[in-house]
Amino acid sequence: MDIHEYQAKELLANFGVPVPRGGVAYTAEQAMFRAEEIGGSRWVVKAQIHSGARGKAGGVIVCASEHEVRVAAADLLGKCLVTHQTGPAGKVVHRLYIEEAVDIAREAYLGLVLDRREERVCVVAAPQGGMEIEEIAHDHPESILREVIEPAVGIQPFQAREIAFGLGFRPAEVNQAVKAIIGAYKAFRDLDSTMVEINPLAITSSGKVVALDAKMTFDDNALFRRPNVSELRDYAEEDPRDAEAAKYGLSYIALDGSIGCIVNGAGLAMATMDMIKHAGGEPANFLDIGGGASPERVAAAFRLVLSDPRVKVVLVNIFAGINRCDWVAQGIVQAANSVRVPVPVVARLAGTNVDEGRRILRESTLRITTANGLAEAAQKAVAALGLDGGGARSDVTRGAA
Ligand code: GDP
Ligand code: MN
């Protein structure tokens, strides 16, 4: 899970990492209010989206008056920022962070990552900050410093000092940098983080070391024991389909074909995608609805798969071991009654109570093609694409509007 810059800064500050004064704002008025509250004469208005490289995309604006803060805030809110991390669709700005502007004398890079090969937390640092680590690795590979942390004892002051000196900090700055590095490490470890990035870690013209930007990622599997972290989740930043899938315990991955898949079991879902390809089609998604495919889950799966406008056929492939085919069939019927299913559906059921399951589908008023085997199901799904001319959606529910 990712969080916003302002949230990461608040967490890091609790561990002693120095950050500028700032406040979050959801409207231009609040932004102005924040500027007044912070005081001083220059502020930075920063778009809060889960992406780096906002500066280059116009998402970081330095302002010299409260009026400018208001104008910058009004400009950014609701705007879609396209950075090279967001993809071409970009991300809409809903929150802003207003900070006191600082005079930057120098920018350095500081990151903490989980090095899976070393099985250790690794501190990565470079004297050139403000640009991305990939760029630094490309342009100045020799300047990147690494320090592997021994988990039994944690980061040692000498390691933090080595990094600080390696970054070229002057004696007066080293102690501040050490505090920032140790603080970032403790936050990483104590909050079950998988990545902390402070870029830039800046030195101001008055010799203060301060984290001007902050990014944190957390281990999803540890969120249950970090309620203060998991409450920072911003659903607006996530693909709504991922969020919907997670709500129902479905594993969904969007692909770019036209045959929507609803399958139980990850292995069977993979095999189904292979068979679709083998039959000459392209899967629109990977979807594992899990073992207990309740009618609600099947309905949620249909909604999810059909939310992709490229889907022209839905292929349901259920092998009922723990589950029962009759329940799954009821789920499909219930789903088709609660969700508009505007495309042909091909269903292959196998396993427990399969005859009863097929009877339910047959006797329903739905236009569902049944198939006996996986290969047959894939062929029928591809054939259904052709029948449609691959284009128009027609309703599977007889008589439905
Ligand atoms: P990013 O582009 O998403 O990584 O956003 P950052 O928070 O790193 O900001 C991008 C750049 O804006 C920084 O590298 C700085 O050069 C500049 N910037 C950010 N905050 C300040 C500030 O307080 N004062 C000045 N002068 N520049 C800033
Ligand atoms: Mn940055």
Side-chain angles (χ1 to χ4, degrees), residues 43-114:
W43 301 269
V44 193
V45 177
K46 307 183 80 176
Q48 298 297 290
I49 53 170
H50 288 181
S51 168
R54 295 161 301 166
K56 282 183 199 141
V60 178
I61 304 174
V62 181
C63 302
S65 71
E66 286 172 18
H67 177 69
E68 279 182 37
V69 168
R70 187 194 198 106
V71 172
D75 176 48
L76 283 178
L77 282 168
K79 192 172 177 173
C80 185
L81 282 188
V82 180
T83 75
H84 62 90
Q85 290 180 15
T86 60
K91 280 197 158 156
V92 178
V93 181
H94 299 292
R95 305 179 190 190
L96 299 171
Y97 191 48
I98 319 302
E99 259 183 352
E100 57 175 333
V102 302
D103 274 332
I104 305 174
R106 198 156 78 77
E107 298 181 308
Y109 176 94
L110 175 67
L112 286 93
V113 289
L114 194 61

Side-chain angles (χ1 to χ4, degrees), residues 46 52-54 130 197-200 212-214:
K46 307 183 80 176
R54 295 161 301 166
E197 190 181 61
I198 297 175
N199 186 25
L212 269 202
D213 188 11

Side-chain angles (χ1 to χ4, degrees), residues 215-227:
K215 220 174 168 181
M216 285 184 89
T217 304
F218 298 90
D219 181 351
D220 289 336
N221 295 315
L223 286 176
F224 74 95
R225 63 177 188 185
R226 305 282 172 230

